[in-house]
């Protein structure tokens, strides 16, 4: 059985205002699923891997911030490994390998394939991964990569320089990292491929490397000593130093949807959400997550995006470096997906004496619950506007529904479970309104 590890550690604002520290680009519900609904990049990759890839078990390597949204989007059918701190791809992959060995009981000869969680590709991409696994089993190399057949001499990607044929794979002669256009054109004439960031190896291959840093390579030991691992990429630490490395070529659709310009090429419609595009606009896309309407006209090759985090209006050619400009525009996410549902910040205020308030709209999905918890610095008023649920307040359980209002004072333990989809307007007030002001304890529903 092949073990497929998907890397989901990235975060940021490359697709601001929809993406933020809590909701990275791979979680945005913008792509069209086969049934016509909307799916995220992560959901698309998982669906394709299950349908077209090698027979495998899946594990996602991520960070604690993203764990809830992954469970929310995928359910409990995928293993999740959370790194204690962000330290680049080599430590993340090493921790995942320790998890496969210690927690899942995989043997040292188990085939492992590591891939990013967000490429936009055709199904042939996943069939190529199956060929990578075959190449590894046949002993063609100790480390097998995926090479992407280039469609242009791009300066954005690293290149694999091919060597002799090994059967279904080719030996890697060398690597070139992000060359200029003239050098890239020369590499293309030599048959070079882009490095797709997909790696196949036997589990023991990485565990042996890990043992050079830690005497104990069990999962708990690697987790506890994570800061001792080098903060570097898997390419630099492993791939570029490997003596036996090959690649299998993939020729087909492959995009990095990392900018609004590239994302707009695959959006199913020019308008998403409460918006209208006038007849004088060309090659313009609107994505509106707000309830207020947007109307645009006379724009050419532009993107308009609106969310609780902000509003973007830009030429598509100017969206490449958006992250550097918007980094300091907001001090907290205004929308998050959690394992229990979603919330949107509707408004917030700070008063002359430092007192603060935040108003949220919470949706708790049927059968899900918010943990039994307590806050030290804030009061909360919950107004139930739709659905039914079970409220626990200082150990006492009460059924609640539309029209009920509950005042939860700081220091009171509380939890809520949705019997049906539950809508709550939450007003927080206090001198410190921080998502980290929380202590969770167990509760048996």
């Amino acid at each position: 059985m092949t073990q497929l590890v998907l890397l989901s550690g990235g975060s940021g604002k490359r697709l601001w205002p929809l993406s933020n520290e809590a909701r990275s680009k791979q979680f945005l519900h913008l792509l069209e699923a086969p049934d016509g609904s909307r799916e995220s990049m992560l959901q698309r990759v998982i669906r394709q891997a299950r349908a077209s890839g090698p027979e495998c078990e899946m594990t996602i390597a991520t960070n604690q911030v993203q764990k809830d949204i992954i469970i929310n989007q995928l359910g409990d059918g995928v293993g999740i490994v959370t790194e204690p701190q962000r330290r680049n791809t080599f430590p993340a992959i090493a921790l995942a390998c320790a998890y496969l060995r210690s927690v899942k009981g995989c043997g040292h000869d188990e085939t492992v394939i590591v891939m990013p969680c967000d490429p936009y590709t055709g199904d042939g991409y996943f069939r190529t991964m199956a060929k990578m696994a075959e190449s590894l089993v046949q002993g063609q190399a100790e480390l097998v990569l995926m090479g992407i057949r280039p469609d242009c001499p791009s300066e954005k990607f690293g290149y694999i320089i091919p060597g002799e044929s090994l059967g279904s794979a080719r030996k890697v002669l060398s690597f070139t990292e992000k060359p200029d256009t003239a050098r890239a054109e020369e590499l293309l004439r030599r048959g070079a491929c882009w490095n797709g960031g997909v790696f196949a190896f036997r589990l023991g291959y990485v565990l042996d490397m890990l043992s050079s840093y830690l005497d104990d390579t069990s999962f708990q030991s690697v987790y506890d000593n994570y800061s001792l691992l080098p903060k570097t990429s898997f390419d630099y630490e492993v791939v570029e130093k490997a003596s036996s490395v090959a690649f299998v070529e993939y020729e087909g659709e492959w995009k990095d949807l990392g900018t609004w310009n590239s994302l707009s090429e695959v959006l199913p419609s020019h308008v998403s959400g409460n918006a209208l595009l006038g007849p004088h606009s060309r090659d313009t896309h609107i994505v509106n997550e707000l309830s207020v309407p947007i109307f645009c006209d006379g724009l050419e090759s532009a993107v308009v995006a609106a969310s609780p985090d902000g509003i973007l209006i830009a030429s598509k050619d100017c969206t490449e470096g958006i992250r550097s400009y918007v980094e300091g525009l907001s001090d907290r996410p205004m929308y998050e997906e959690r394992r229990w549902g979603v919330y949107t910040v509707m408004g917030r205020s700070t008063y002359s004496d430092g007192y603060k308030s935040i108003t949220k709209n919470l949706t708790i999905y049927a059968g899900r619950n918010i943990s039994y918890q307590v806050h030290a610095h804030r009061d909360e008023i919950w107004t139930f506007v739709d659905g039914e649920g079970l409220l626990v307040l200082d150990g006492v359980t009460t059924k609640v529904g539309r029209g009920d209002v509950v005042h939860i004072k700081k220091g009171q333990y509380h939890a809520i479970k949705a019997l049906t989809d539950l809508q709550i307007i939450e007003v927080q007030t206090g001198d410190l309104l921080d998502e980290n002001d929380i202590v969770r304890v167990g509760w048996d529903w």
Side-chain angles (χ1 to χ4, degrees), residues 170 220 244 310:
R170 295 189 69 175
Q220 192 61 53
S244 175

Side-chain angles (χ1 to χ4, degrees), residues 60-98:
I60 297 180
T62 186
N63 52 68
Q64 190 63 42
V65 174
Q66 295 183 4
K67 183 176 180 180
D68 277 5
I69 192 170
I70 290 172
I71 294 173
N72 191 24
Q73 293 199 1
L74 302 180
D76 297 322
V78 176
I80 298 177
V81 177
T82 56
E83 53 181 346
Q85 56 183 271
R86 290 174 176 167
R87 293 192 65 80
N88 215 317
T89 54
F90 171 69
I93 292 171
L95 182 65
C97 288

Side-chain angles (χ1 to χ4, degrees), residues 148-150 159-163 170 185-194 247 249:
I148 310 296
R149 173 71 68 87
Y159 285 74
I160 301 173
I161 316 303
R170 295 189 69 175
E185 289 174 343
E186 177 189 345
L187 294 176
L188 262 60
R189 289 192 291 270
R190 295 177 59 185
C193 287
W194 293 330
F247 75 98
E249 184 176 307

Side-chain angles (χ1 to χ4, degrees), residues 389-421:
L390 295 176
L391 171 74
V392 182
L393 190 60
D394 282 338
V396 179
T397 301
T398 307
K399 191 173 183 179
V400 291
R402 178 181 291 171
D404 290 328
V405 179
V406 178
H407 187 184
I408 303 167
K409 297 180 180 180
K410 59 185 177 184
Q412 282 191 299
Y413 285 87
H414 56 282
I416 184 73
K417 180 175 183 178
L419 300 177
T420 64
D421 284 354

Side-chain angles (χ1 to χ4, degrees), residues 52 54 113 123-133 145-147 248-251:
S52 304
I113 299 179
D123 291 342
Y125 178 91
F126 299 90
R127 291 191 287 270
T128 301
M129 289 199 303
K131 294 178 182 178
M132 293 170 62
L145 314 181
M146 181 185 292
V248 177
E249 184 176 307
Y250 163 64
E251 183 177 7

Side-chain angles (χ1 to χ4, degrees), residues 16 123 130-131 163-164 178 227 252 306 328 331 337 369 392 399:
W16 185 90
D123 291 342
K131 294 178 182 178
E164 62 183 288
K178 297 181 180 180
S227 62
D331 59 354
E337 287 189 43
N369 66 274
V392 182
K399 191 173 183 179

Side-chain angles (χ1 to χ4, degrees), residues 265-292:
E265 296 175 357
V266 301
L267 291 177
S269 172
H270 282 269
V271 174
S272 176
N274 188 9
L276 181 63
L277 194 60
H280 303 100
S281 291
R282 296 179 179 84
D283 188 31
T284 293
H285 288 78
I286 307 175
V287 180
N288 185 14
E289 292 189 336
L290 303 177
S291 58
V292 295

